[in-house]
Amino acid sequence: MAYLSLAIWLPIAVGVLLLAIGRDEHANNVRWIALAGAVLSFVVTIPLITGFDASTAAMQFTETLPWIERFNVHYRLGVDGLSVWFVLLTAFITIIVVISAWEVIDTRVNQYMGAFLILSGLMVGVFSALDGLLFYVFFEATLIPMYIIIGIWGGPRRVYAAFKFFLYTLLGSLLMLVALIYLYYKSGGSFDILAWHKLPLPMSAQTLLFFAFFAAFAVKVPMWPVHTWLPDAHVEAPTGGSVVLAAIMLKLGAYGFLRFSLPIVPDASKEWAAFVIALSLIAVLYIGLVALVQNDMKKLVAYSSIAHMGFVTLGFFIFNELGIAGGIVQMISHGFVSGAMFLCIGVLYDRVHSREISSYGGVVNTMPKFAAFAVLFAMANCGLPGTSGFVGEWMVILGTVQANFWLAALAATTLIFGAAYTLWMVKRVYFGDVANEDVRTLSDINKREFFMMALLAAAVLWMGVYPKPVTDVMQTSVAELIKHVGISKLN
């Protein structure tokens, strides 16, 4: 079975079908078709894990078909321990997004659902592409559905936010295209990414390629100082858009470092590791302080995402197994936790139509079930032991200690800042006396919202209590990547 092709094209096909249905009088049918498409798309990804051989670092479930034969471009797919979990995460989050929009989106429902399903397939394509040009096509194509989602269903400044998101990420990616074309000619006319891993490149070329890739992936992560598009995009995006943006799309940039920067230009990656680590620590420290003074809940969680993704890039560029594995675990955990936090904000916004922290207070008195979920996700965002948020951060800190104790000490401050801004928000929104009439009249979450929250809570707790299945899958691939880069610790 071509599981990867199914995981890519099944949601895209269902999305196109939904666009063809058209009118809003069919909205209920559209919702059920979208849910069926999302669930089926997730089901076809399950064999990728159940049939995955964790003892090898080789690509698995590979598919190769000729595409543009004149230029030796192939439709080449495969996954290894570095990428397979992101395919499942993408399909899982798509189900959550479809459920979250069930009663909230009542106009252009087919376009909304169709855009998310098409986006889901394109993001799976990014994580499974083994041809450079195919990767670039999927990587850039993801911009279009998200641009439409923000631009049509977003807030008052949605057009500004959509344009800023599109231009930032597009401009960064153009340099990556130049790098891909250079590698194509340097490899004798091949876009095979795995063949590029073996190219003997001089240091000068590696440095230029490193910064070309860095321009594309750093914007997507996003790293400081090219992060300014993210808070605007999150604030203006609808709830589903914020969930996918935080849970999956930020991971595309971090994944690019694993698949391109580290293995293709290992010497330049080592040479410029201190530069990337410095930017990562600025994200962890400075952005944490910025999050602390936010009054808008969405903006606070958006800045929180930048700080947590700084942890990911830090883990990757300390060049040891614990750091890289911790960075990947942090990416998966962040997918669950940040997605859940944006959903919680969406639940409140649907009822009160405000994202300002000052508009709430004492929510636990009127929405106890919802508040229990929200506090759990907030604790995971703080890195509380027993939740998924702790595992990745702890692994990265331990890996950083092996490289340099003082770097680890600085990185660990994110746990303090993370707890500060998250608990400060929780205290003002959920606890205390009921602050105003809007909160007094709130109704607790319904069965649909409870089911959605319960799925994410189960994922957060499962990964926090028993992360072994996740780490076992990636262990061999991470070890092979470290061996390929040829360094075990930062000198």
Side-chain angles (χ1 to χ4, degrees):
M1 289 290 291
Y3 291 116
L4 286 174
S5 283
L6 281 172
I8 294 169
W9 298 109
L10 180 60
I12 292 176
V14 175
V16 172
L17 172 64
L18 294 178
L19 295 179
I21 291 176
R23 301 178 182 276
D24 280 337
E25 53 259 35
H26 303 301
N28 204 45
N29 292 333
V30 165
R31 294 183 182 103
W32 283 107
I33 293 170
L35 181 60
V39 171
L40 194 55
S41 299
F42 177 72
V43 168
V44 300
T45 66
I46 293 174
L48 298 177
I49 283 295
T50 57
F52 191 85
D53 181 3
S55 66
T56 176
M59 289 292 169
Q60 301 178 47
F61 303 98
T62 54
E63 304 171 36
T64 303
L65 292 170
W67 180 22
I68 308 174
E69 294 187 66
R70 180 181 176 185
F71 296 103
N72 198 23
V73 180
H74 290 79
Y75 174 80
R76 185 181 284 112
L77 304 175
V79 288
D80 60 2
L82 304 178
S83 56
V84 65
W85 279 115
F86 297 112
V87 175
L88 274 81
L89 178 65
T90 303
F92 175 75
I93 292 295
T94 304
I95 297 174
I96 300 293
V97 167
V98 170
I99 296 172
S100 72
W102 203 268
E103 298 167 1
V104 178
I105 302 297
D106 52 11
T107 58
R108 299 182 178 179
V109 179
N110 66 309
Q111 296 175 23
Y112 184 88
M113 298 293 192
F116 275 108
L117 284 165
I118 292 170
L119 179 59
S120 174
L122 295 173
M123 291 188 297
V124 171
V126 173
F127 292 123
S128 53
L130 295 181
D131 182 276
L133 189 60
L134 184 67
F135 174 90
Y136 184 79
V137 169
F138 281 132
F139 191 82
E140 291 298 273
T142 59
L143 299 180
I144 300 169
M146 184 54 72
Y147 173 79
I148 293 170
I149 289 164
I150 298 172
I152 294 178
W153 293 276
R157 300 176 72 241
R158 58 185 178 274
V159 175
Y160 165 78
F163 266 102
K164 191 173 183 180
F165 157 74
F166 192 89
L167 290 175
Y168 262 69
T169 49
L170 178 66
L171 290 174
S173 301
L174 290 176
L175 287 175
M176 179 175 70
L177 179 60
V178 174
L180 298 180
I181 294 171
Y182 173 85
L183 289 167
Y184 169 78
Y185 284 108
K186 197 70 177 177
S187 60
S190 172
F191 277 107
D192 185 352
I193 294 173
L194 299 183
W196 290 349
H197 291 182
K198 303 171 184 176
L199 282 178
L201 297 169
M203 189 61 189
S204 57
Q206 284 200 34
T207 300
L208 292 173
L209 289 170
F210 174 83
F211 281 104
F213 288 133
F214 184 81
F217 302 141
V219 170
K220 205 82 163 185
V221 168
M223 297 181 69
W224 182 89
V226 288
H227 65 284
T228 56
W229 63 268
L230 184 67
D232 291 319
H234 270 310
V235 167
E236 300 303 325
T239 298
S242 291
V243 171
V244 169
L245 194 58
I248 310 297
M249 289 199 75
L250 304 190
K251 313 304 180 290
L252 302 182
Y255 172 74
F257 284 123
L258 290 177
R259 187 63 72 212
F260 287 85
S261 300
L262 298 185
I264 294 176
V265 288
D267 296 328
S269 295
K270 289 179 283 187
E271 180 73 20
W272 291 97
F275 168 72
V276 179
I277 289 170
L279 295 184
S280 301
L281 289 173
I282 291 173
V284 167
L285 298 166
Y286 167 69
I287 300 298
L289 291 172
V290 172
L292 195 57
V293 299
Q294 298 304 314
N295 296 315
D296 184 308
M297 288 188 289
K298 256 194 171 185
K299 193 167 280 191
L300 186 150
V301 178
Y303 280 114
S304 169
S305 292
I306 299 168
H308 282 97
M309 291 304 292
F311 237 79
V312 171
T313 49
L314 171 66
F316 289 171
F317 282 85
I318 58 174
F319 296 110
N320 59 41
E321 291 184 34
L322 206 52
I324 292 178
I328 298 171
V329 171
Q330 174 75 345
M331 287 164 69
I332 300 168
S333 167
H334 184 259
F336 295 136
V337 175
S338 65
M341 292 195 71
F342 279 116
L343 282 173
C344 289
I345 295 169
V347 167
L348 291 174
Y349 183 81
D350 293 339
R351 287 161 168 78
V352 180
H353 301 294
S354 173
R355 294 184 302 266
E356 292 295 316
I357 294 173
S358 58
S359 300
Y360 299 91
V363 171
V364 69
N365 297 288
T366 51
M367 302 179 70
K369 294 178 185 176
F370 168 70
F373 282 119
V375 172
L376 168 65
F377 299 136
M379 294 299 104
N381 197 54
C382 296
L384 183 74
T387 66
S388 61
F390 173 77
V391 181
E393 291 186 356
W394 183 242
M395 290 173 69
V396 171
I397 290 173
L398 287 179
T400 310
V401 167
Q402 293 180 10
N404 186 298
F405 172 80
W406 295 109
L407 289 180
L410 283 173
T413 58
T414 190
L415 302 175
I416 300 169
F417 291 149
Y421 57 70
T422 305
L423 295 178
W424 181 229
M425 179 185 72
V426 167
K427 176 183 180 295
R428 289 180 289 170
V429 173
Y430 298 105
F431 295 129
D433 297 327
V434 174
N436 56 55
E437 287 304 312
D438 287 334
V439 174
R440 198 179 303 281
T441 57
L442 289 177
S443 57
D444 212 342
I445 50 176
N446 56 35
K447 291 180 180 178
R448 172 187 63 86
E449 292 166 329
F450 184 92
F451 177 70
M452 181 175 68
M453 298 285 179
L455 284 177
L456 286 164
V460 167
L461 292 172
W462 165 69
M463 196 170 165
V465 173
Y466 189 59
K468 189 174 185 295
V470 178
T471 55
D472 282 354
V473 165
M474 66 183 70
Q475 185 173 357
T476 306
S477 294
V478 170
E480 183 63 28
L481 177 60
I482 288 293
K483 180 182 176 183
H484 177 78
V485 174
I487 190 168
S488 59
K489 64 179 180 179
L490 186 66
N491 294 319

